Amino acid sequence: MVNLPLQPRYILPPLCLMALSALFAVFNLNDILEFNRQLIDQGQVWRLITSQYVHANWPHLALNCAGIILIWTLHAEHTKPTQYALHTLFLAAWCGIGVYFFCPDIHIYTGLSALLHGVIVWGAIKDIEVGMKSGGLLFIGIWLKIAYEQFHGPSAEVSKLIASQVAVDAHLIGAIGGIVLATPLLINYIKKRQA
């Protein structure tokens, strides 16, 4: 039997993340929140963070909500609500800044997927740190996915569904952000192994 983490402290953070993104979609706030390189250059730096929470369309939002739910089923019990909020905020800033500096060809960008790659990498490392063998498989799996995207490009089907180019370099940036976020876990794991 599957034992899902349904306690409020586990379910409210991902629900809040989905609700925030849905609220931005309902009010069609892309024009003031999306990553727009030209407007960021003019001083609208909030877009580096807020762009992670808006989406190209409803299917784009639905795909990212499915990702949030998947991560919740795998890793909800690893974080407290405040930690979840801080992780997603850090990764939003990390991804936005990373896209700005390392992806000069991206002029318009939206979506949670880069941030979610960071969250799942952090969760996989947390799994490893607490001794779950599935963490290693998940960690390898996410990096195989990223490598596939880097060598073969984005999925044409997903790009068509979301009516936007999938920013695979942003996924890589997000995954690297997950490793940065998990640095204390890695240090703790190494210390435990050496003890």
Side-chain angles (χ1 to χ4, degrees):
M1 181 173 166
V2 177
N3 186 17
L4 294 176
L6 296 173
Q7 296 90 341
R9 70 180 181 270
Y10 299 135
I11 201 165
L12 285 177
L15 285 177
C16 288
L17 182 57
M18 290 188 286
L20 177 67
S21 293
L23 190 66
F24 289 164
V26 167
F27 289 103
N28 195 23
L29 297 178
N30 283 34
D31 286 345
I32 60 171
L33 299 179
E34 71 188 4
F35 181 102
N36 181 314
R37 186 172 295 277
Q38 181 180 359
L39 296 176
I40 292 168
D41 288 341
Q42 294 172 10
Q44 296 184 18
V45 294
W46 67 83
R47 293 172 179 272
L48 294 170
I49 294 174
T50 59
S51 58
Q52 310 302 309
Y53 303 102
V54 293
H55 293 81
N57 56 24
W58 287 100
H60 188 198
L61 175 60
L63 282 174
N64 281 320
C65 286
I68 292 169
I69 292 167
L70 172 65
I71 294 167
W72 165 75
T73 62
L74 294 171
H75 300 133
E77 293 168 322
H78 287 328
T79 59
K80 297 177 178 128
T82 303
Q83 186 182 33
Y84 188 94
L86 290 174
H87 282 185
T88 54
L89 188 59
F90 168 82
L91 288 167
W94 175 274
C95 294
I97 292 166
V99 167
Y100 183 80
F101 285 108
F102 298 107
C103 304
D105 293 339
I106 295 179
H107 297 281
I108 303 291
Y109 171 80
T110 59
L112 282 164
S113 60
L115 179 158
L116 294 177
H117 278 72
V119 173
I120 202 161
V121 165
W122 180 90
I125 293 170
K126 181 66 177 177
D127 282 349
I128 294 166
E129 189 225 0
V130 299
M132 296 173 65
K133 291 185 175 31
S134 59
L137 293 174
L138 182 60
F139 187 81
I140 291 167
I142 195 73
W143 285 103
L144 287 174
K145 175 199 178 286
I146 289 167
Y148 181 85
E149 289 177 337
Q150 289 295 309
F151 289 108
H152 296 285
S155 164
E157 294 80 17
V158 173
S159 293
K160 185 176 179 182
L161 178 67
I162 67 172
S164 181
Q165 182 72 24
V166 177
V168 295
D169 290 337
H171 294 173
L172 174 61
I173 290 166
I176 293 168
I179 291 176
V180 170
L181 196 60
T183 299
L185 302 176
L186 291 168
I187 292 169
N188 189 44
Y189 177 73
I190 291 166
K191 285 181 180 176
K192 284 196 299 189
R193 298 274 295 184
Q194 292 174 342

